[in-house]
Amino acid sequence: MVKFVFVTGGVLSSVGKGIVTSSIGKMLQVRGFKVTAIKIDPYVNVDAGTMNPYIHGEVYVTDDGGETDLDLGGYERFLNINLPKENNITTGQIYKAVINEERRGDFLGRCVQIVPHVTNEIKHRIRLIGERSKVDVVLTECGGTVGDIEGLPFLEAIRQMRLEEGFDNTLYAHVALVPILDFSGEMKTKPLQHSVNELRRIGIQPDTIVARCKKMIDSEALRKIALFGTIPENAVFCSYNVDFIYQVPLILDEQGMGEYICKRLRLENRKPQWGEWNQFVDSLKNPRFKVKIALVGKYAGLVDSYVSMNEAFRHAGATCQAQVLIDYIEAENLERDPSKLKLLKRYDGIFIPYGFGPRGTEGKMGAIRFARENDTPFLGICYGFQLAVVEFARNACELEEANSTEINPDTPHPVIDLMPEQRGVEYKGATMRLGAHKIIIKKETVAHRLYGAEEITERHRHRWEVNPDYWNVLEKHGLVFSGKSPDGRRMEILELPSKFFFFASQFHGEFKSRPGKPDPEYCGFVKACLDKKLENRNQNFEAKQ
Ligand code: GLN
């Protein structure tokens, strides 16, 4: 019998529902239960692929090519599992399916309604995931905040599931903000109480409440939350501020949340095995070294645009015993004022992330050139890979005005061009080259050393690629394509062997990085930044002697 945990949010969005959902999953996992996690996004978009990362945060990519909400990345990282795209449910998908059925005539004669047709489709999907993934517990996080109009059908569906699946097999967890007043330091539970009332109005009585608060809630606040939430005091928990999100499952379990959930769902409360997780958290907390990285990007104003990359650096840092400090630099600022490029001297490494469109690309290429000419360790991902090719073509191969046709369709040297199969594509949704693809690695290269394999699989999300007409000239000038698609038609990794560390990939290593299992390209880069820093320090020291 599969059990279902539903997580709702109150007061504000962005209170960390995703982290609490992942943490509940982790608490169950370390007790030996198999879990999966679903994210419900009540927006009408079919998937997150068409959404601007600057507003909505990063688009996460799954193995099966789903372009999903970034919370799926959080689940994958916390739970060390690979999720299929069906684990991100949106209003757009639900309505699309129901309307298709209606057009097919499946409801012939009947009026198609939100209850029961839309809610049935929602429940059907949640249950199907439970069956297919063969887990003990399915976690479902409802995006947004209770009271949002667009979330109502989803809340109605999960309300019905209590009746259909039974009390012992369903659990509602509500996460809500408890603000602290600046002037009195008082913890205010009223907004949380209102959000619980809103949930009850819909017919859901939470079984547990997680107060999101800067500090551990005091006994007075806890008592009030229990009283007004109509739950026992031992079902109230607090997710307070911690240095690393990976500490959240530990602090919640310490408060007894894992035990409470097991009891409530009539699961055996096995002894939790936190060993590996604790080890990872300890290495994050006690770094021996520091490296400073410049991330030059287009979405630098919103850290959430680069969540998976940030986390990949954290995982790599933990493994290299280093704290990785990232400065987010708006590429357009370097473009407007190239004299600022010399400020990149302060960094141990330069990182160019993914991106789309022309804005800021000259600034990014300025930074790549700086890295190449000053032999600063460099890592480029996707657009970062493509722009490294353009920069190299222009400044090392004398191909003046070389460019990507994404930036200048009339460039005399289109070194980066649309993939042939992308030419006739009109629909923007889910039409890029997406998801996991194989890559063959060339022996005796940096890539081979980093991956320790001749074949790897990595996740992709792009429309452009290196133009085959320019492979030769690029290689003749010293660029090595050390990773290619199995048919040899697609360049996947580049490196410059003459440099200390100059590496870029068409794929996104960050999507597969996990705590304790860092991604090889991020890890190689962080390690190179450390080594180079040490080398520079030794040289300076010798020079002074
Ligand atoms: N804009 C580029 C492309 O579509 C790179 C995409 C990316 O960085 N994810 O190919």
Side-chain angles (χ1 to χ4, degrees):
M1 190 80 192
V2 186
K3 313 265 179 185
F4 296 92
V5 171
F6 301 103
V7 182
T8 55
V11 183
L12 287 180
S13 61
S14 312
V15 282
K17 273 192 314 284
I19 293 167
V20 170
T21 308
S22 300
S23 299
I24 295 175
K26 197 75 219 168
M27 287 184 264
L28 290 165
Q29 225 182 26
V30 293
R31 288 174 167 79
F33 298 105
K34 217 180 147 211
V35 299
T36 190
I38 301 173
K39 174 72 192 292
I40 288 175
D41 281 304
Y43 47 64
V44 184
N45 304 57
V46 171
D47 61 37
T50 53
M51 292 166 100
N52 185 343
Y54 212 21
I55 300 165
H56 189 74
E58 158 193 294
V59 176
Y60 191 70
V61 181
T62 53
D63 260 347
D64 64 355
E67 296 174 286
T68 73
D69 182 81
L70 53 83
D71 277 321
L72 256 75
Y75 307 155
E76 288 203 346
R77 287 187 282 271
F78 268 74
L79 304 173
N80 189 19
I81 49 178
N82 291 332
L83 296 170
K85 61 180 163 203
E86 64 183 16
N87 282 39
N88 191 188
I89 301 175
T90 67
T91 296
Q93 288 166 23
I94 299 291
Y95 274 84
K96 215 172 158 207
V98 173
I99 291 169
N100 279 344
E101 276 178 70
E102 187 275 334
R103 293 288 82 184
R104 256 199 327 260
D106 294 0
F107 301 116
L108 222 49
R110 264 172 294 163
C111 166
V112 183
Q113 296 183 298
I114 294 183
V115 184
H117 303 103
V118 166
T119 47
N120 281 352
E121 179 64 28
I122 296 168
K123 290 185 293 181
H124 167 69
R125 286 182 181 225
I126 295 174
R127 289 193 177 106
L128 201 66
I129 290 170
E131 280 164 33
R132 283 197 194 145
S133 53
K134 300 198 171 47
V135 292
D136 303 303
V137 183
V138 176
L139 306 153
T140 304
E141 175 190 350
C142 299
T145 310
V146 280
D148 297 347
I149 292 175
E150 52 187 13
L152 284 174
F154 294 103
L155 295 175
E156 170 57 18
I158 67 168
R159 182 192 72 81
Q160 294 171 14
M161 282 186 76
R162 151 88 21 117
L163 210 64
E164 294 163 3
E165 299 294 328
F167 183 80
D168 293 344
N169 300 321
T170 47
L171 178 137
Y172 299 114
H174 187 61
V175 187
L177 181 77
V178 172
I180 298 181
L181 293 184
D182 277 351
F183 47 92
S184 62
E186 220 184 323
M187 292 171 176
K188 301 306 267 183
T189 63
K190 193 72 83 185
L192 179 145
Q193 293 173 35
H194 280 297
S195 78
V196 174
N197 284 344
E198 191 60 29
L199 201 57
R200 281 203 203 106
R201 209 172 58 81
I202 300 164
I204 296 174
Q205 162 64 45
D207 299 290
T208 167
I209 294 174
V210 178
R212 174 72 185 94
C213 189
K214 270 191 193 156
K215 293 194 284 193
M216 180 66 198
I217 45 166
D218 54 34
S219 52
E220 177 64 13
L222 188 137
R223 202 183 52 74
K224 273 191 195 160
I225 294 170
L227 177 67
F228 291 102
T230 331
I231 55 171
E233 286 185 18
N234 70 350
V236 180
F237 305 98
C238 177
S239 168
Y240 51 86
N241 283 13
V242 282
D243 292 332
F244 303 101
I245 51 169
Y246 301 102
Q247 290 168 264
V248 176
L250 295 169
I251 64 162
L252 290 176
D253 205 25
E254 244 169 44
Q255 296 167 44
M257 191 171 189
E259 191 184 335
Y260 173 78
I261 289 176
C262 286
K263 258 199 204 133
R264 177 57 193 72
L265 287 175
R266 300 207 186 277
L267 292 167
E268 186 191 339
N269 183 28
R270 304 175 189 147
K271 195 172 161 3
Q273 307 291 334
W274 283 114
E276 268 181 45
W277 196 259
N278 268 329
Q279 234 175 7
F280 168 69
V281 170
D282 280 346
S283 50
L284 279 177
K285 281 190 190 160
N286 306 302
R288 289 178 53 204
F289 313 104
K290 234 183 225 169
V291 280
K292 231 175 140 182
I293 286 170
L295 178 153
V296 181
K298 175 183 180 180
Y299 315 113
L302 184 73
V303 173
D304 255 3
S305 306
Y306 303 114
V307 214
S308 292
M309 298 181 152
N310 296 335
E311 295 311 314
F313 278 123
R314 238 184 267 285
H315 307 159
T319 298
C320 301
Q321 297 181 291
Q323 182 187 10
V324 181
L325 300 163
I326 306 173
D327 271 355
Y328 301 85
I329 298 171
E330 185 51 65
E332 243 182 337
N333 292 343
L334 299 180
E335 195 167 296
R336 238 178 273 130
D337 181 4
S339 72
K340 287 207 170 111
L341 281 166
K342 59 178 183 297
L343 298 177
L344 293 173
K345 254 204 313 248
R346 297 184 195 151
Y347 297 94
D348 304 310
I350 293 175
F351 175 71
I352 309 289
Y354 76 97
F356 295 88
R359 185 170 73 82
T361 48
E362 291 300 326
K364 290 182 191 176
M365 284 191 270
I368 297 170
R369 183 173 191 173
F370 181 94
R372 194 172 55 79
E373 292 181 347
N374 294 282
D375 207 5
T376 309
F378 165 77
L379 179 66
I381 299 289
C382 205
Y383 215 16
F385 165 90
Q386 297 173 358
L387 296 176
V389 171
V390 175
E391 190 280 323
F392 190 77
R394 283 185 190 174
N395 303 317
C397 308
E398 290 169 36
L399 295 172
E400 247 175 77
E401 289 181 57
N403 219 331
S404 160
T405 53
E406 180 175 3
I407 302 163
N408 175 12
D410 304 318
T411 168
H413 298 294
V415 287
I416 301 293
D417 203 3
L418 256 191
M419 288 181 269
E421 65 271 35
Q422 286 288 332
R423 298 235 159 104
V425 172
E426 277 175 21
Y427 275 55
K428 290 269 185 282
T431 54
M432 291 192 219
R433 178 172 181 245
L434 292 167
H437 293 279
K438 266 191 199 146
I439 294 127
I440 307 297
I441 308 268
K442 193 170 170 175
K443 280 194 197 147
E444 286 163 35
T445 57
V446 174
H448 193 251
R449 175 169 65 73
L450 293 181
Y451 290 93
E454 279 166 52
E455 190 184 298
I456 57 168
T457 306
E458 292 285 346
R459 299 185 191 173
H460 297 72
R461 182 169 186 254
H462 65 122
R463 292 186 203 279
W464 274 265
E465 65 176 348
V466 184
N467 183 343
D469 295 346
Y470 290 90
W471 293 347
N472 275 342
V473 56
L474 292 163
E475 288 191 313
K476 217 174 68 201
H477 286 84
L479 198 74
V480 170
F481 288 113
S482 51
K484 297 181 188 178
S485 60
D487 60 5
R489 270 189 46 214
R490 244 157 226 154
M491 299 302 113
E492 290 273 12
I493 305 177
L494 68 78
E495 51 191 80
L496 281 176
S498 58
K499 301 289 163 196
F500 193 83
F501 187 90
F502 193 99
F503 193 91
S505 69
Q506 181 60 80
F507 54 79
H508 297 253
E510 67 276 9
F511 292 138
K512 283 175 67 174
S513 176
R514 306 274 192 263
K517 274 209 291 182
D519 171 72
E521 55 179 343
Y522 283 81
C523 217
F525 173 60
V526 170
K527 176 105 191 358
C529 294
L530 272 174
D531 291 346
K532 181 78 183 181
K533 185 176 172 182
L534 209 69
E535 192 187 276
N536 288 346
R537 196 177 289 161
N538 288 344
Q539 270 168 8
N540 286 343
F541 182 73
E542 275 162 29
K544 272 191 202 141
Q545 291 285 301

